[in-house]
Amino acid sequence: MNDKSMSLRLPKPLADQLGQLAESTGRTKSFLVIQALESFLERESWQVAEITKGLAEADAGDFSTPEEIQAMDRKWGYRAR
């Protein structure tokens, strides 16, 4: 098993909420924290990767053409004012 141990301090309301959720779902607090952390890391990593990709495209001068913008406008029905 390659698990690592980590300790942290939680604000009492958060610790209470975690305890209540663990009890009501029959899961351990560790399981719920790991599940939440995995979800957070996946979402944040995706966002950072997309921002990095967008910055690289902008640095390369890869911007949408007016025709591409008009096509998106037609597709989504959005009219900027």
Side-chain angles (χ1 to χ4, degrees):
M1 185 185 258
N2 279 335
D3 292 347
K4 299 245 179 178
S5 180
M6 180 179 179
S7 64
L8 64 140
R9 294 184 185 271
L10 296 175
K12 184 170 178 3
L14 187 59
D16 292 346
Q17 187 177 13
L18 177 61
Q20 290 169 1
L21 184 60
E23 188 174 322
S24 66
T25 61
R27 301 288 190 170
T28 65
K29 291 184 275 186
S30 291
F31 174 87
L32 295 175
V33 169
I34 290 168
Q35 188 178 40
L37 188 55
E38 285 174 344
S39 177
F40 171 81
L41 291 173
E42 181 180 336
R43 184 180 60 249
E44 293 298 308
S45 296
W46 172 86
Q47 186 174 17
V48 168
E50 288 298 309
I51 290 168
T52 301
K53 180 180 159 188
L55 289 172
E57 290 173 357
D59 288 343
D62 186 10
F63 296 101
S64 297
T65 65
E67 292 78 19
E68 290 171 328
I69 293 171
Q70 288 174 350
M72 281 187 9
D73 183 44
R74 283 191 300 275
K75 178 179 180 179
W76 298 106
Y78 176 77
R79 301 284 183 249
R81 299 190 195 276

